[in-house]
Amino acid sequence: MKLRNAYLLIAGLLILGSCKNDDDAIGEIVPPRLLSEVTEEDDAEIIEFLKTHFYNEDEFETPPEGFDFKIRFDTIAGENSTKRSIYDSPNLITQTITVDSEDLGREDDNEVIDQTLYTLVARQGVVEGKPTIGDFSVLRYEGLLLDGTLFDASTNQPIRFNLSSVVQGFGNGMKNFQTGNGPIENGDGTVSYEGYGIGAIFMPAALAYFDSSPNSDVPTYSPLIFKVDAFSYEPDSDLDGDGIPSILEDLNGNGNLNDDNTDIDLESIFARSANHNDVDDDGDGILTIDEIELDADGNFVGFLDTDGDGIPDHLDNDL
């Protein structure tokens, strides 16, 4: 499952650094490109797709008998020339997410560029509440290029993973979906959900794989589409079990848990862990769970600041 393994792949590529040659889908070497250049190009391509394509919104508004609740795209042309574009749909949500070129392995470029993420909510889920980037989510997905090429997909059965373990655009797009009721046992070893959120996430390369394509099916610097079925999620997930809900470890509030690492200067380049994957966030030898306030049931209550210097104990290694 390429989506889930994206950050492991990227981490390995960053370690290799300049020893890596990037090959595109036809085997040609792709030279490094500026984040700003790729951003401008990708946004233009995504907007062009959104303006020239529609989705089967009529079926979602008035489901015909036997409708499978699958989102489908087609070109606005011919007999479909009067269809409303995805770009003009009231169900399209835009988000601005800032990306630093350093986080993409470009330490010499010094670019900080806003990215636009587009999320189409074809059907909102019936259960109130939406996942955060720190939560475990149960879902189904398909990954597509803008030309419709399928490059990745989950199985038909629901899968579960943390939304910070995947590409940034996916996790942030999922924040727009309420989920459904379930799981419902089908009697054959499978489960299903009812009333779940359905839609698609359109992301530029900087919020996807950028120049670290998972395989030749995804050309370098490709904007991507992910169709999603949002079945369920686990509120206040704690990925590393350190007692702090993972979403509270997004210290800079930028929608990316993977760039928050308090003790990075104390860690080996081969064993670096962002706070949401680190049981000792400040590297002082005291477990994070022993430096926060928990209730009698072990649930997170709040942060402690023993020396009153404004830095929580679990992030303060000079106590």
Side-chain angles (χ1 to χ4, degrees):
M1 188 174 62
K2 307 177 188 70
L3 174 64
R4 189 173 184 177
N5 294 327
Y7 277 109
L8 293 177
L9 172 67
I10 292 172
L13 291 171
L14 292 181
I15 292 171
L16 290 175
S18 61
C19 295
K20 177 180 73 68
N21 288 325
D22 286 317
D23 293 341
D24 69 6
I26 58 175
E28 296 178 357
I29 295 176
V30 179
R33 299 179 60 193
L34 290 172
L35 171 60
S36 54
E37 178 184 77
V38 175
T39 298
E40 182 177 0
E41 181 178 292
D42 284 359
D43 197 50
E45 289 184 21
I46 293 173
I47 289 175
E48 174 67 14
F49 180 93
L50 296 175
K51 287 185 174 181
T52 58
H53 289 75
F54 69 98
Y55 78 99
N56 52 330
E57 62 177 319
D58 292 343
E59 291 182 305
F60 279 95
E61 291 177 358
T62 308
E65 185 176 355
F67 180 46
D68 59 5
F69 290 94
K70 299 289 187 183
I71 190 168
R72 297 179 175 85
F73 305 128
D74 204 348
T75 306
I76 299 175
E79 62 181 15
N80 295 320
S81 59
T82 61
K83 295 289 187 179
R84 178 165 61 184
S85 72
I86 301 171
Y87 189 83
D88 292 325
S89 171
N91 298 323
L92 186 69
I93 300 169
T94 60
Q95 298 166 254
T96 300
I97 300 172
T98 302
V99 172
D100 190 323
S101 61
E102 184 175 352
D103 294 332
L104 299 173
R106 302 295 180 80
E107 297 183 2
D108 297 329
D109 291 348
N110 298 316
E111 290 191 309
V112 179
I113 307 294
D114 285 345
Q115 309 291 317
T116 303
L117 182 71
Y118 301 87
T119 303
L120 176 67
V121 181
R123 184 181 78 174
Q124 192 57 278
V126 298
V127 176
E128 291 187 8
K130 299 173 183 177
T132 73
I133 57 166
D135 290 330
F136 280 98
S137 185
V138 179
L139 51 84
R140 181 170 55 204
Y141 74 88
E142 291 183 355
L144 307 165
L145 303 182
L146 292 187
D147 65 5
T149 299
L150 177 70
F151 67 85
D152 190 15
S154 61
T155 62
N156 191 51
Q157 278 296 289
I159 60 170
R160 172 185 178 270
F161 52 71
N162 186 275
L163 292 178
S164 282
S165 68
V166 295
V167 293
Q168 189 177 357
F170 191 97
N172 280 272
M174 288 300 298
K175 296 192 300 183
N176 296 300
F177 292 96
Q178 294 182 182
T179 56
N181 293 311
I184 301 167
E185 299 289 343
N186 296 325
D188 59 359
T190 65
V191 298
S192 58
Y193 289 79
E194 294 180 346
Y196 52 87
I198 302 170
I201 305 167
F202 305 83
M203 65 188 70
L207 296 178
Y209 303 116
F210 200 58
D211 61 355
S212 300
S213 176
N215 62 31
S216 60
D217 293 331
V218 181
T220 304
Y221 306 115
S222 293
L224 304 176
I225 304 170
F226 281 97
K227 295 181 179 180
V228 295
D229 294 332
F231 295 136
S232 180
Y233 76 100
E234 301 168 22
D236 298 325
S237 296
D238 178 8
L239 183 60
D240 57 4
D242 66 355
I244 303 175
S246 293
I247 186 57
L248 298 184
E249 303 202 73
D250 182 15
L251 303 181
N252 56 19
N254 68 347
N256 180 11
L257 297 185
N258 296 288
D259 64 357
D260 298 283
N261 190 356
T262 304
D263 58 355
I264 188 171
D265 293 336
L266 303 176
E267 296 176 331
S268 163
I269 189 174
F270 299 103
R272 288 181 173 171
S273 296
N275 288 3
H276 74 289
N277 275 319
D278 192 344
V279 296
D280 180 8
D281 292 329
D282 57 4
D284 63 355
I286 303 173
L287 294 178
T288 292
I289 199 168
D290 294 327
E291 295 187 292
I292 60 175
E293 184 179 1
L294 302 174
D295 64 19
D297 296 321
N299 299 312
F300 177 78
V301 174
F303 299 113
L304 302 174
D305 182 9
T306 302
D307 60 5
D309 64 355
I311 303 175
D313 289 358
H314 74 290
L315 303 179
D316 190 354
N317 64 7
D318 63 356
L319 289 175

